[in-house]
Amino acid sequence: MADRETADRDPAGAAVAGAGGPPYLDALGPGGPYRTRRPSAVTDVSGAEVARLSLVPPLYVGRTLAALRKAPPVAPAGLDAVLAVAAGEFAAGTVGGLGVRAYEHLVSRTSGTPLAVVRAATRGTARFAALARSSAEQGRPRGTVAGRRDPVLGDGHAVWARRGEVFAVNASGNHPGVHRLWLEALALGYRVAVRPSRREPFTPHRLVAALHRAGVRSDQLVLLPTDHPGADTLVRGADRAVVYGGDEVVARYARDPRVLPQGPGRSKILVTAGTDWRDHLDTIVGSVADEGGTACVNTTAVYVEGDPAPLAEALAARLSRLPSLPPQDPRAVLPVVPLDRARALGGYLGSVAAGTRAWLGADGVVDGLGDGSAVLRPAVHQVADAGAAQLRTELPFPCVWVAPWDRAAGTAVLRDTLVLTALTRDRALLDALLAEPTIANVYVGDHPTHWMAPGVPHDGYLSEFLMRGKAVVGGL
């Protein structure tokens, strides 16, 4: 599978220092680690090179997909033990030459995610890894059985069957937690190919290598760093794929039933008149700013029945006290990006927010750290009505729009939402929110929108996309 440049294989599996240079991250292919001679630089938020990443060409991607198709699924017997070992290695081991603290530091410096968030994500990903099989099983319909050897099949039943054999992941780099989802595909018997983000390849590399060490074969799970043509080859060649990105990605794959696009979450909080928002301010602040405000489950809009100004003012006061620190500082809570990107985001927000009431305005978003990077500080803007166009704007830092809401607006203005936290006692309203097809998840009461747990669907169960019930009658 070598490209024309040829490749050197590193039997250790990758993140090991070259001669006086930064560490390498090899591709992890079906034949083992694969290193190209002209790697891509991985830089931190200041622009300094911190690692080198082997990018495989489309030809390598295509041949790898063919190898995955020939491989058997991961055996279900003993799978929980394999996942538990991988979880332990990921959380505490030295994987690919990196101890867990070195790994977390690199993730923080390259993605700009606060170190405390990265450390929490390490623990969370390990937990999801250990429970991936049981979590995937939660999505199995009650009318199906797991396999053809179940004795009830003689009377006619349904078997839970895969819709394909190869699952591809075109991942984002905004948060380490995005790599929890595809673990369920592996547990369901798919052979999995992960294309990491070039912004933050360390998490998927560590997770794939930990699973290999635990006993998953290298032709059952691969890591394929590649360019855009390689990514297209990957998505086209898989039976099922998940692709992360913005609205343009969602639109591109909206009509392709093989692809599950993961776009903006536009998560929201609704506070009705019978609720004193002051009793829930911690939940509102945490929903906006925890996880660095970078996740699709962070709140981007708060709707208030009545005057929204007091809540917006209190929210801005709390968010304004968050410190500006480099991402690797254990006290950091806000994201950091290269200075030119921060200025571009601030300028974009300023144009979008024109005509709104700024409690924390776009002019205060960029806080340079003096090393070529900048903290993205929180922004709070109040809009005039619940249908304002700004309410659909989602940015990769704590940026929230506060809007008035009334019963006439109803659920229509709350559509297209990944998570909605409803601070209300109105049961009829809750029934309407649950019935709205475009609201994926409804949390009632003091539950921040970023709350997640194994076995609880994120955007529906992944198994709804990967599996189906297949009727079987008679013994097999």
Side-chain angles (χ1 to χ4, degrees):
M1 294 187 185
D3 58 25
R4 286 190 176 184
E5 298 173 358
T6 74
D8 299 323
R9 293 190 183 277
D10 174 7
V16 293
Y24 275 88
L25 288 175
D26 294 341
L28 301 177
Y34 178 93
R35 179 175 300 176
T36 55
R37 288 187 174 177
R38 282 192 266 176
S40 174
V42 180
T43 58
D44 69 8
V45 290
S46 72
E49 183 178 359
V50 296
R52 293 173 182 169
L53 179 66
S54 287
L55 298 183
V56 300
L59 178 61
Y60 185 99
V61 173
R63 291 180 176 177
T64 295
L65 293 175
L68 294 180
R69 291 191 183 283
K70 295 177 182 177
V74 176
L79 178 57
D80 284 336
V82 169
L83 293 170
V85 170
E89 289 288 335
F90 181 85
T94 297
V95 181
L98 290 175
V100 66
R101 293 306 180 214
Y103 149 74
E104 290 169 341
H105 184 271
L106 283 168
V107 171
S108 180
R109 283 299 301 168
T110 54
S111 68
T113 305
L115 183 60
V117 174
V118 175
R119 288 177 173 170
T122 299
R123 298 188 296 270
T125 299
R127 182 183 176 213
F128 273 77
L131 298 174
R133 185 200 59 78
S134 60
S135 183
E137 278 285 321
Q138 292 281 46
R140 179 163 65 88
R142 293 179 63 184
T144 65
V145 297
R148 65 179 177 83
R149 293 178 177 83
D150 193 296
V152 304
L153 288 178
D155 300 324
H157 219 77
V159 170
W160 209 32
R162 289 188 298 277
R163 295 178 183 271
E165 300 297 334
V166 175
F167 180 63
V169 182
N170 192 6
S172 63
N174 62 304
H175 191 286
V178 300
H179 293 284
R180 298 168 184 172
L181 188 65
W182 58 257
L183 291 162
E184 293 189 16
L186 190 70
L188 290 168
Y190 277 83
R191 275 68 80 206
V192 177
V194 181
R195 184 217 180 193
S197 165
R198 291 164 71 173
R199 175 185 175 191
E200 197 280 275
F202 302 100
T203 296
H205 186 279
R206 183 176 182 84
L207 190 52
V208 170
L211 285 158
H212 286 168
R213 183 177 292 184
V216 176
R217 288 171 33 169
S218 61
D219 60 352
Q220 295 169 325
L221 171 64
V222 297
L223 183 83
L224 297 177
T226 189
D227 56 15
H228 290 297
D232 289 341
T233 300
L234 176 65
V235 174
R236 287 198 311 268
D239 300 314
R240 295 268 144 169
V242 61
V243 178
Y244 293 83
D247 286 323
E248 70 284 353
V249 169
V250 174
R252 179 180 180 184
Y253 293 106
R255 298 182 181 277
D256 190 338
R258 303 176 308 106
V259 179
L260 179 65
Q262 296 287 284
R266 298 191 173 94
S267 296
K268 303 173 178 66
I269 292 176
L270 172 64
V271 185
T272 61
T275 303
D276 189 340
W277 58 263
R278 291 169 293 187
D279 296 335
H280 306 280
L281 187 57
D282 286 347
T283 296
I284 299 170
V285 171
S287 294
V288 173
D290 287 358
E291 309 297 325
T294 64
C296 57
V297 288
N298 280 114
T299 295
T300 58
V302 179
Y303 293 78
V304 182
E305 187 174 17
D307 182 7
L311 187 153
E313 182 179 18
L315 179 57
R318 286 281 297 273
L319 293 174
S320 69
R321 297 199 291 267
L322 298 179
S324 292
L325 294 167
Q328 73 275 13
D329 190 307
R331 300 166 297 167
V333 292
L334 295 173
V336 177
V337 297
L339 182 58
D340 57 350
R341 174 162 167 73
R343 288 171 173 164
L345 286 167
Y348 174 75
L349 176 60
S351 64
V352 170
T356 67
R357 181 176 182 179
W359 293 95
L360 289 178
D363 56 349
V365 164
V366 180
D367 194 356
L369 292 175
D371 63 350
S373 69
V375 176
L376 291 171
R377 294 201 53 78
V380 179
H381 292 84
Q382 182 181 331
V383 298
D385 65 84
Q390 290 91 344
L391 290 160
R392 290 188 58 81
T393 300
E394 179 171 307
L395 294 173
F397 62 95
C399 176
V400 63
W401 311 90
V402 183
W405 178 87
D406 58 33
R407 302 291 163 141
T411 61
V413 295
L414 304 173
R415 291 172 181 162
D416 191 21
T417 299
L418 179 58
V419 183
L420 174 69
T421 288
L423 298 173
T424 184
R425 296 181 180 179
D426 187 331
R427 294 184 177 181
L429 175 60
L430 290 174
D431 288 341
L433 295 173
L434 286 170
E436 169 52 50
T438 67
I439 299 176
N441 306 295
V442 177
Y443 298 169
V444 182
D446 267 320
H447 302 287
T449 54
H450 59 74
W451 180 89
M452 291 184 186
V456 179
H458 170 63
D459 188 7
Y461 284 111
L462 180 63
S463 55
E464 297 171 15
F465 174 67
L466 297 180
M467 309 291 282
R468 67 175 181 175
K470 182 178 292 189
V472 177
V473 181
L476 293 176

